[in-house]
Amino acid sequence: MSDPGTTTSGIPAPDYEPPAPGYEPPAWRAREAALLAPWAMSAAETAGRVYPEPPHPFRSPYQRDRDRIVHSAAFRRLAHKTQVFTGYHGDYHRSRLTHTLEVTNIARTLARALALNEDLVETLALAHDIGHPPLGHAGEDTLAELLRTEGGFNHNAQALRIMELLETRYPEFPGLNLSREVLEAQATRKKDGTAPAPLLETQVVDAADSIAYDTHDADDAIELGLVSLEELLELPLVAEAATRVRDRLGPLGSGDLRRAVIHELVDFQVAELVRTSLARLRGLGIRSVADVRAAGTDPGRRILAHTPAVAAAKRELERFLFTRVYRSERVLAVRVPAQQRLAEMFDWYAAHPEQLPPRFHERAAAFGVRRSTADYIAGMTDRFLEADHGRCFSD
């Protein structure tokens, strides 16, 4: 190893061996050509950006998109936004950020197994929830009701609004100026029928999101004492996972069994999705992105899908979580007052638009006070909302 020495500023120089003379790292185009399946979306085939930019010397367009998402204010705020359990303090259950990272991890595993574009998948996964307001779905429901006569509120549509307008990080253009494929994927998540058939990279993120929230919401619900593992074991998907765990590891205590079952649920769903999707790709004769597009926009005809039996078992788990967890008396007892505080803040800012930050004033002129008020409140974290409510209603 060479002596790192110091720079002229006195800061130690990096301690590494310089590359051999003539070495050139493999270019991203060559890497994609070597690794991607014909049904994957190559960055070399991107439709570009709304505001043209010169290419980066060594990052692909989708790598740049990923970095723009990670460095955005909306992404940072996910750390302090509720995933499901509004008002429950503790360090175990998921925040919107940890959920996003878990979705990204699962999505990258799926993408690699299916030889898809991991940079695009990672971008879509990291961005998929940046439009969520504070208080999780409770906050979204409240804003949707407050704006019901003005187009409503949907976190997927809000994410697109953030990407195209609300982030202000670059003087050359509004928003983040992401690749058109990223914008298209987010438009697909709106489920309003206006987007083209989704790329496989988009389908992977949707599947990973479903796997993550079904499994990890169950884990968080057990941790918070809302349900027991024994109750979950009455569901076929969970019971079969527990059987496989016991067959492999033998008898386990309740804590070890719970952790092993949660791991098995994720692993099983990922492996099953890879198997069935590869079989469907072969069966449909998919040889290109154009073939993927031709598969249609109907979710029932998506290429990346579980078998009917597994899909039915997942729906049963989701029904259980909806009735026993998301709409349980304990959760609603915290959720309803939190929604009331959000509604009070919305009404206060709508009545006092001069109190909005200056950058929202121009938007209020263009989009209306109530929409701009929703943009501001949707960008708040849970704790900022609580602090701001205390400031505005301290008397």
Side-chain angles (χ1 to χ4, degrees):
M1 181 67 71
S2 59
D3 182 357
T6 58
T7 64
T8 55
S9 66
I11 299 172
D15 185 5
Y16 70 94
E17 287 286 358
Y23 170 79
E24 290 291 340
W28 63 263
R29 290 174 184 269
R31 287 199 306 271
E32 288 195 352
L35 296 174
L36 297 187
W39 49 69
M41 182 65 214
S42 170
E45 301 299 322
T46 179
R49 305 176 188 276
V50 174
Y51 302 94
E53 298 181 52
H56 192 273
F58 52 83
R59 286 186 300 162
S60 78
Y62 301 147
Q63 287 179 280
R64 298 178 75 185
D65 292 336
R66 176 200 60 204
D67 297 347
R68 289 180 182 192
I69 292 296
V70 169
H71 290 284
S72 69
F75 182 80
R76 290 196 301 276
R77 292 187 184 116
L78 296 178
H80 301 289
K81 289 192 177 187
T82 291
Q83 168 65 10
V84 172
F85 300 104
T86 302
Y88 281 84
H89 301 292
D91 296 326
Y92 183 86
H93 56 280
R94 275 81 178 169
S95 68
R96 189 61 62 180
L97 178 61
T98 57
H99 165 74
T100 293
L101 296 177
E102 287 170 337
V103 170
T104 303
N105 184 60
I106 293 169
R108 286 197 61 167
T109 297
L110 288 165
R112 187 166 300 185
L114 297 169
L116 298 175
N117 194 315
E118 290 184 46
D119 291 330
L120 177 55
V121 163
E122 187 175 18
T123 300
L124 300 180
L126 290 169
H128 85 280
D129 268 354
I130 61 170
H132 264 288
L135 312 181
H137 289 290
E140 181 171 15
D141 291 346
T142 302
L143 288 175
E145 175 62 21
L146 289 165
L147 294 171
R148 68 186 183 281
T149 62
E150 299 166 64
F153 182 91
N154 174 275
H155 76 270
N156 289 312
Q158 188 68 12
L160 195 59
R161 190 167 168 82
I162 289 168
M163 293 173 181
E164 296 182 306
L165 175 70
L166 298 180
E167 280 285 337
T168 54
R169 298 189 61 81
Y170 305 96
E172 306 97 316
F173 44 74
L176 298 173
N177 199 30
L178 302 174
S179 299
R180 293 181 188 272
E181 290 77 27
V182 177
L183 300 179
E184 173 202 296
Q186 191 57 42
T188 298
R189 291 179 62 84
K190 289 164 57 181
K191 297 180 174 64
D192 61 1
T194 62
L199 298 166
L200 290 178
E201 284 80 4
T202 304
Q203 297 182 41
V204 155
V205 174
D206 289 345
D209 191 22
S210 173
I211 291 170
Y213 66 66
D214 282 355
T215 306
H216 297 141
D217 287 359
D219 184 37
D220 286 351
I222 295 172
E223 177 69 18
L224 292 170
L226 297 168
V227 298
S228 66
L229 178 59
E230 290 69 28
E231 290 175 291
L232 282 167
L233 288 173
E234 295 177 8
L235 302 171
L237 191 67
V238 184
E240 291 168 10
T243 297
R244 291 190 296 271
V245 165
R246 292 186 179 110
D247 288 345
R248 187 171 68 250
L249 301 176
L252 296 172
S254 60
D256 287 337
L257 178 62
R258 167 186 154 191
R259 287 185 287 273
V261 166
I262 294 300
H263 173 82
E264 174 63 22
L265 280 170
V266 174
D267 194 54
F268 167 76
Q269 290 177 78
V270 169
E272 193 269 347
L273 187 64
V274 170
R275 285 194 302 271
T276 57
S277 299
L278 285 172
R280 195 169 288 115
L281 285 164
R282 290 191 294 268
L284 293 173
I286 303 296
R287 295 288 185 271
S288 66
V289 171
D291 290 342
V292 173
R293 299 287 202 190
T297 58
D298 181 357
R301 295 172 58 202
R302 285 196 171 195
I303 297 168
L304 268 62
H306 294 284
T307 62
V310 172
K314 281 173 61 64
R315 287 193 296 272
E316 186 171 354
L317 172 59
E318 290 164 2
R319 285 193 296 269
F320 175 89
L321 290 172
F322 183 84
T323 57
R324 293 296 314 280
V325 177
Y326 308 145
R327 292 296 183 268
S328 70
E329 290 184 4
R330 282 180 56 190
V331 169
L332 291 178
V334 179
R335 170 184 169 128
V336 171
Q339 288 179 294
Q340 179 62 36
R341 290 191 291 275
L342 188 151
E344 290 171 352
M345 289 306 305
F346 181 94
D347 290 341
W348 190 88
Y349 277 111
H352 304 85
E354 72 281 358
Q355 296 297 318
L356 290 169
R359 67 183 181 277
F360 288 88
H361 294 167
E362 279 187 31
R363 294 175 190 151
F367 301 104
V369 168
R370 293 178 69 81
R371 178 60 62 183
S372 292
T373 297
D375 286 338
Y376 180 51
I377 288 180
M380 294 180 178
T381 63
D382 291 34
R383 64 185 184 181
F384 186 91
L385 175 66
E386 291 296 322
D388 208 33
H389 185 275
R391 176 184 66 84
C392 294
F393 295 92
S394 57
D395 294 334

